Amino acid sequence: MKTTKGNALRSVVGPALLAALILGVTGCGSPKAFKVSEACGTEFDPELIGRLIPKGDSLKSDDTFSEPKQFRCEFAVDGQDRVGLRGDVVEPFVKPLEVKESVMLRLGNPASADIGDGATIADHGGMALKACTYNGEKMQYVLSIDGVQDPKGIEERRRILEDFLRSQLPVAMKAEGCRP
């Protein structure tokens, strides 16, 4: 009798375990898209940032290199650094779009965009700036994002990058204490 129960249990559990293993290996389809509403102490529009971060099984954000006036947030997907986000409070005489022109060229086909007081959108990143007051002094806030590979279509990626910078610039400025 015991042997029959063991055989019956094995005949039910065996196929179920095999099915679970197959589903686990295949991941039940494609990797998931991430919805990030907060990372590195900053709020995000989850729809926009989530579309710029590659899909995967795990997402980590790291702000180890952040310090006052220099926000840094690196997103790693499945253990690999992917997307970097940076915010800087800089002097009003600095011309970030000119200083970072070579960076934007490396990110591919930079073009001006109508965001804040100036912006550049490239194939794999972008940068926007806005004049602000920081601790009572006139300054500028510069927000940049790089390492963006998703979505795969360049035109759609550039459109999402522009939307992201437009919506994130005031949020990042406020978080840093840089008032328009």
Side-chain angles (χ1 to χ4, degrees):
M1 198 83 151
K2 242 182 183 181
T3 310
T4 308
K5 278 186 184 177
N7 288 341
L9 188 56
R10 244 181 268 130
S11 68
V12 171
V13 172
L17 184 57
L18 180 60
L21 286 172
I22 290 170
L23 288 174
V25 169
T26 61
C28 300
S30 62
K32 65 182 173 191
F34 298 105
K35 293 202 181 232
V36 180
S37 58
E38 192 279 335
C40 303
T42 300
E43 294 178 13
F44 293 99
D45 178 330
E47 292 300 319
L48 291 173
I49 190 70
R51 294 182 67 195
L52 296 172
I53 296 172
K55 294 177 182 175
D57 294 319
S58 67
L59 176 68
K60 275 187 158 176
S61 62
D62 181 13
D63 67 348
T64 304
F65 299 105
S66 285
E67 55 185 66
K69 295 173 49 173
Q70 293 182 329
F71 165 76
R72 304 288 182 264
C73 190
E74 299 294 325
F75 292 98
V77 176
D78 299 336
Q80 294 185 12
D81 288 342
R82 297 296 183 170
V83 175
L85 188 62
R86 291 163 187 78
D88 292 289
V89 178
V90 299
E91 300 287 338
F93 61 82
V94 175
K95 303 210 179 297
L97 297 175
E98 291 175 20
V99 171
K100 298 291 186 174
E101 186 176 12
S102 64
V103 171
M104 290 292 115
L105 283 168
R106 279 196 311 273
L107 292 174
N109 303 308
S112 296
D114 186 22
I115 304 170
D117 295 329
T120 300
I121 304 295
D123 292 346
H124 300 284
M127 174 188 298
L129 62 100
K130 178 108 175 107
C132 65
T133 303
Y134 181 81
N135 289 338
E137 294 182 44
K138 296 233 179 258
M139 302 294 258
Q140 298 178 85
Y141 190 81
V142 183
L143 180 65
S144 60
I145 184 169
D146 62 27
V148 179
Q149 301 295 323
D150 289 76
K152 297 301 178 205
I154 292 174
E155 290 305 314
E156 181 183 8
R157 184 182 326 132
R158 290 174 71 95
R159 184 185 53 75
I160 296 168
L161 278 163
E162 186 171 342
D163 291 346
F164 173 76
L165 287 170
R166 182 173 283 112
S167 74
Q168 194 62 35
L169 183 60
V171 173
M173 286 174 58
K174 183 179 178 184
E176 191 63 51
C178 208
R179 306 288 178 236

